[in-house]
């Protein structure tokens, strides 16, 4: 089972419960936003997630904390040995239609000064959705790429990059 769209912990808890005896494994595509410290400091798989229980009532307004509750729902129903939680940052693809990322990329491609929010030295890593789906995303960390060379060669994902501020 690969869940790419769970947003309400109650829905994920229900679906994971229904699938527990029918699926051998549950992969949940979460978000980097599930980490409580994201945006304030670097996070990794050991970082704390937002406090949101798996049994959060249905119909909650959208919020980053809900992904953490969805993760807990998966782990509660499938257990750590039959679950994989993927906390993506910028997962993009050829049919990206969210608007915000494409708008920024198009604007930067035009050149010149760009007024943009946030720290210009903050690193970003884009993961191509096709690489992600094929299970061959490179684990690129500050220029250190791990994993089979064949996967790195086929990958369309971009390693860490920094957007520099013009002075």
């Amino acid at each position: 089972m690969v869940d790419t769209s769970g947003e309400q912990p109650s829905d994920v808890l229900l679906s994971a419960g229904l699938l527990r005896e029918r699926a051998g494994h549950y992969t949940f595509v979460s978000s980097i936003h599930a980490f409580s410290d994201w945006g304030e400091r670097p996070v990794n798989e050991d970082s704390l997630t937002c406090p949101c229980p798996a049994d959060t009532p249905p119909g909650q307004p959208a919020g980053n904390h809900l992904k953490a509750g969805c993760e807990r729902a998966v782990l509660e129903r499938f257990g750590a040995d039959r679950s994989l939680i993927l906390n993506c940052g910028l997962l993009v693809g050829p049919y990206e239609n969210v608007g915000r990322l494409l708008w920024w990329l198009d604007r930067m491609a035009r050149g010149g000064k760009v007024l943009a929010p946030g720290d210009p030295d903050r690193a970003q890593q884009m993961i191509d959705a096709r690489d992600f789906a094929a299970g061959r995303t490179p684990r690129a960390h500050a220029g250190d790429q791990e994993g089979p060379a064949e996967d790195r060669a086929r990958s369309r994902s971009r390693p860490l990059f920094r957007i520099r501020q013009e002075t």
Side-chain angles (χ1 to χ4, degrees), residues 42-79:
V43 296
N44 62 35
E45 62 273 6
D46 296 322
S47 299
L48 295 176
T49 56
C50 295
C52 180
D55 62 352
T56 298
Q60 299 297 310
N64 296 338
H65 65 289
L66 294 175
K67 284 292 193 178
C70 293
E71 292 178 14
R72 287 182 181 93
V74 169
L75 292 168
E76 183 178 305
R77 292 293 191 243
F78 271 74

Side-chain angles (χ1 to χ4, degrees), residues 60-113:
Q60 299 297 310
N64 296 338
H65 65 289
L66 294 175
K67 284 292 193 178
C70 293
E71 292 178 14
R72 287 182 181 93
V74 169
L75 292 168
E76 183 178 305
R77 292 293 191 243
F78 271 74
D81 60 324
R82 295 176 53 211
S83 303
L84 175 64
I85 307 295
L86 301 169
N87 296 95
C88 301
L90 294 173
L91 182 61
V92 298
Y95 303 106
E96 169 77 37
N97 63 3
V98 174
R100 63 176 187 236
L101 177 61
L102 287 182
W103 186 91
W104 284 107
L105 293 176
D106 286 343
R107 174 58 191 93
M108 287 185 275
R110 289 196 303 268
K113 292 186 177 185

Side-chain angles (χ1 to χ4, degrees), residues 113 164-167:
K113 292 186 177 185
R164 297 286 178 189
Q165 182 178 13
E166 289 184 21
T167 54

